[in-house]
Amino acid sequence: MRAYFDHAATSPMPLVVRKAFFDALGTVGNPASQHADGQAARDVLESAREIIARTLHVTSAEVVFTSGGTEAINLALKGLFWARNSGADRRPVILVADGEHHATIDTVEWLVAHAGAEAEWLPLNSDGVLLPEVLEAAITKHGVERIALATVLWANNEIGTIQPVSSLNQICERHGIPLHIDAVSALGHIDISAVHPAALSLSAHKIGGPVSSGALILGRKWQVVPLIHGGSQQRARSGTQDAAAATAFATALELAYQDLDRKHARLQQIQQRLITAIREIDGTAVLRGPKPGEMRLASNVHFTFPGCQGDSLLFLLDMAGVSVSTGSACTAGVAEVSHVMTAIGLDDVSAAGALRFTFSPDTTDTEIEMLLTALPQAILQARRAGITAV
Ligand SMILES: Cc1ncc(COP(=O)(O)O)c(C=O)c1O
């Protein structure tokens, strides 16, 4: 038996989602075909789109299915940037928060290198929060007419910080600047249906849906230049649509938001138990990100362990049957200091011992005990090995 504390990397697919996925795989027909089989596939696809739209309080026309969060982010950022810089329009500036996921960072850097964009990186405070006044000041600095778009991460995937997205969106709306929000790690954990930015990126596999399935929620009044050209099956994306994946995504989404209060209470209980126990195990360990409460995902605990290399801890815990992460799965495997740690003001030595524990309401007490039993020895051994990569 293993203990899984890496739900932010990917979350296991519940049985009910697997069943819906499997049943939908039996649907014959291309949703774009005119015959009855095509019609049947279209019904399956559109009812999934409808469920997602209803859950997020948007219209079906605003749901653009993609191959996951990374594609949704690329479509939002490149698509909005190109659309806002077409014809005689020239709006080079992208306002981007520090500590974003690499899907955002690398896309913005690509736009800077290849499309004449100018990135303005907005600093976070020590809890990882982008303060609304920082966004306001950046808009004043560049002038509304030069700004193509702004982008922020709803909930930080490493330290769990929940941004004040409602205020940030209001500021952008007031200035007529399209805001993209990466809601990948917020989806399913907090209610995200009240904030309607220009574009919102989602991924299915973080909430128990299939990998390579996601969506961009694109507000009706905003246009993007598509990344993928072809049969124009969707408003901003071509390619035959995957009715089965959409069904599994919609089922996972409905399930995630069922009984949210009870699940949230269970997550808070696990979070508090882990924080208390880890502090007892190692009095020098430092909780990173906001304290538990409204500003932090209840499914996230993140500590730095002084004198330890995060990768050593990860390896030692893995040997003991416990899966954890040093941060984003997308950069794991490479012993580098997390850019999120740097963004909240840590030096390389303090940042080296970062470890993230992410869990679900279904995480069992046995899993928690496995982690807490293995951790003291892992810290001891990792500390003995020391810090190597800085
Ligand atoms: C915050 C965040 N944004 C975007 C992504 C990318 O999503 P996907 O894996 O669906 O491409 C991830 C996945 O690690 C993520 O955590």
Side-chain angles (χ1 to χ4, degrees), residues 33-322:
S33 296
Q34 312 256 295
H35 45 65
D37 287 317
Q39 175 71 53
R42 189 152 61 247
D43 287 350
V44 171
L45 175 72
E46 293 311 324
S47 77
R49 199 189 308 272
E50 179 54 39
I51 288 170
I52 293 168
R54 205 183 324 120
T55 309
L56 301 179
H57 297 185
V58 297
T59 62
S60 289
E62 292 172 303
V63 180
V64 180
F65 285 118
T66 65
S67 66
T70 302
E71 187 195 324
I73 291 166
N74 271 263
L75 177 57
L77 301 186
K78 291 176 183 162
L80 279 169
F81 184 83
W82 290 331
R84 302 263 294 159
N85 282 281
S86 59
D89 292 337
R90 189 78 197 106
R91 298 185 185 97
V93 177
I94 301 176
L95 305 178
V96 50
D98 269 346
E100 293 286 299
H101 188 270
H102 266 287
T104 292
I105 297 172
D106 293 8
T107 303
V108 170
E109 285 177 349
W110 186 90
L111 286 166
V112 169
H114 301 283
E118 294 169 24
E120 174 75 28
W121 297 92
L122 309 178
L124 308 177
N125 72 9
S126 58
D127 278 343
V129 179
L130 172 62
L131 296 171
E133 51 267 36
V134 173
L135 177 64
E136 275 286 13
I139 294 172
T140 309
K141 174 181 163 191
H142 288 281
V144 171
E145 61 294 338
R146 292 194 75 243
I147 299 172
L149 65 131
T151 182
V152 301
L153 186 52
W154 194 311
N156 189 283
N157 49 297
E158 290 189 33
I159 54 174
T161 309
I162 297 173
Q163 298 295 351
V165 285
S166 181
S167 307
L168 299 172
N169 191 42
Q170 273 168 24
I171 292 170
C172 287
E173 273 183 353
R174 187 155 30 82
H175 291 291
I177 297 168
L179 174 67
H180 164 256
I181 302 181
D182 172 355
V184 168
S185 36
L187 187 70
H189 295 283
I190 49 179
D191 182 3
I192 64 163
S193 65
V195 180
H196 299 287
L200 189 80
S201 289
L202 311 173
S203 172
H205 74 102
K206 308 286 184 176
I207 58 164
V211 174
S212 291
S213 169
L216 182 68
I217 308 298
L218 181 61
R220 261 173 309 175
K221 73 174 203 183
W222 296 103
Q223 302 299 324
V224 292
V225 173
L227 297 180
I228 300 172
H229 297 92
S232 303
Q233 284 88 344
Q234 298 187 88
R235 188 176 147 212
R237 185 185 192 264
S238 290
T240 299
Q241 295 181 82
D242 188 340
T247 300
F249 183 10
T251 309
L253 189 67
E254 273 190 313
L255 191 65
Y257 281 110
Q258 256 169 35
D259 218 0
L260 193 62
D261 289 348
R262 184 194 56 78
K263 288 177 186 162
H264 194 253
R266 168 71 183 147
L267 288 173
Q268 283 179 312
Q269 192 191 22
I270 300 173
Q271 185 181 49
Q272 201 47 63
R273 181 166 170 203
L274 288 182
I275 292 173
T276 308
I278 291 170
R279 283 181 171 147
E280 276 167 14
I281 289 169
D282 181 3
T284 66
V286 185
L287 179 71
R288 300 298 176 184
K291 61 180 188 320
E294 275 185 9
M295 298 295 285
R296 183 180 195 123
L297 286 177
S299 54
N300 170 293
V301 166
H302 184 291
F303 273 92
T304 51
F305 296 89
C308 300
Q309 185 75 45
D311 283 352
S312 309
L313 286 169
L314 185 152
F315 174 73
L316 290 158
L317 288 172
D318 191 26
M319 299 285 282
V322 183

